[in-house]
Amino acid sequence: MKNKIRLDLYNQDWYTRGRNSIVVLLWWFIQGSVFKYSIHNMYGWRRFLLRLFGAKIGKNVQVRASARFTYPWKVVIEDYSWIGDNAELYSLDAIHVGKHCVISQNSYLCTGTHDIHDPHFGLITKPIHIKDGAWVASDSFIYPGVTIGEMSVVAARSTVIKDIPMNEVHAGAPAKYLKQRFEAASLLALDTISAS
């Protein structure tokens, strides 16, 4: 079969990184040095650096030094959320992490892919949303355009290719429904605590 893929014609002129090349290179330098080699509990320092480069970071967010952000200005992380060791936020598009979320170690939030039907391998980007109270467990892959519902769990080493509804636990590759995270009565109690 003759090769119909033409990567020499690949073109992403439509795509914008959101900042000029100098800012991008400066971020990559900062991330690979003073961010990466900061001491374990220097969460305030890492929050400062992310905010300096345009990320919207909430109160008491804990980002580990080995976490990586492609373009921090496309990232929102709300109050009290945790980003674990070696988590990768491949933010070609927007990534929004809600309040009290955990993105565990080695997880990969991927907002970019390519059109497999396009002989020029066209770039596709779609945002990722992680809703309040959700947990993306270690070594999970979240596909572009996916929303993880409020209070939901992505089990370790799962591959999520479609949205996960609120309060559900999904596992596997591709991730499938396992069970409810909290019983209805427990959810009601959690809502009452949150409201007070």
Side-chain angles (χ1 to χ4, degrees):
M1 177 183 223
K2 189 175 177 185
N3 184 6
K4 297 186 181 193
I5 301 299
R6 292 290 309 274
L7 295 181
D8 57 320
L9 299 177
Y10 177 73
N11 184 332
Q12 63 176 37
D13 288 345
W14 63 271
Y15 177 73
T16 177
R17 295 181 293 187
R19 299 289 189 277
N20 67 46
S21 297
I22 293 169
V23 174
V24 171
L25 289 172
L26 183 59
W27 164 247
W28 289 345
F29 173 77
I30 294 293
Q31 180 171 233
S33 57
V34 294
F35 188 97
K36 181 178 181 178
Y37 294 109
S38 56
I39 296 169
H40 167 76
N41 63 347
M42 292 179 70
Y43 297 114
W45 171 244
R46 292 188 289 273
R47 287 192 298 266
F48 166 76
L49 290 173
L50 287 165
R51 288 173 181 144
L52 185 64
F53 281 87
K56 292 180 175 64
I57 305 295
K59 183 170 46 174
N60 289 98
V61 167
Q62 295 188 8
V63 177
R64 297 301 291 268
S66 57
R68 292 178 304 278
F69 299 79
T70 306
Y71 305 131
W73 45 88
K74 295 188 178 197
V75 173
V76 175
I77 305 171
E78 294 189 44
D79 300 346
Y80 302 105
S81 288
W82 303 346
I83 309 297
D85 283 310
N86 299 306
E88 180 91 29
L89 281 74
Y90 188 56
S91 50
L92 299 187
D93 208 318
I95 294 177
H96 190 129
V97 178
K99 297 180 177 100
H100 302 279
C101 294
V102 177
I103 310 300
S104 290
Q105 63 274 15
N106 299 308
S107 290
Y108 198 107
L109 278 56
C110 182
T111 62
T113 187
H114 296 274
D115 183 352
I116 64 169
H117 304 292
D118 178 2
H120 306 154
F121 210 52
L123 179 67
I124 299 169
T125 70
K126 294 180 183 176
I128 289 174
H129 299 276
I130 312 294
K131 300 292 189 174
D132 293 353
W135 177 21
V136 176
S138 61
D139 211 22
S140 293
F141 182 91
I142 310 301
Y143 201 76
V146 163
T147 295
I148 307 298
E150 186 176 352
M151 306 301 286
S152 288
V153 176
V154 175
R157 297 202 161 177
S158 294
T159 299
V160 181
I161 61 173
K162 62 182 184 177
D163 293 352
I164 294 179
M166 172 183 179
N167 191 44
E168 291 187 1
V169 179
H170 286 232
K176 293 185 165 76
Y177 173 81
L178 286 182
K179 61 182 180 178
Q180 294 288 296
R181 182 178 185 183
F182 296 106
E183 298 298 325
S186 298
L187 266 182
L188 188 58
L190 286 170
D191 283 343
T192 305
I193 291 167
S194 297
S196 59

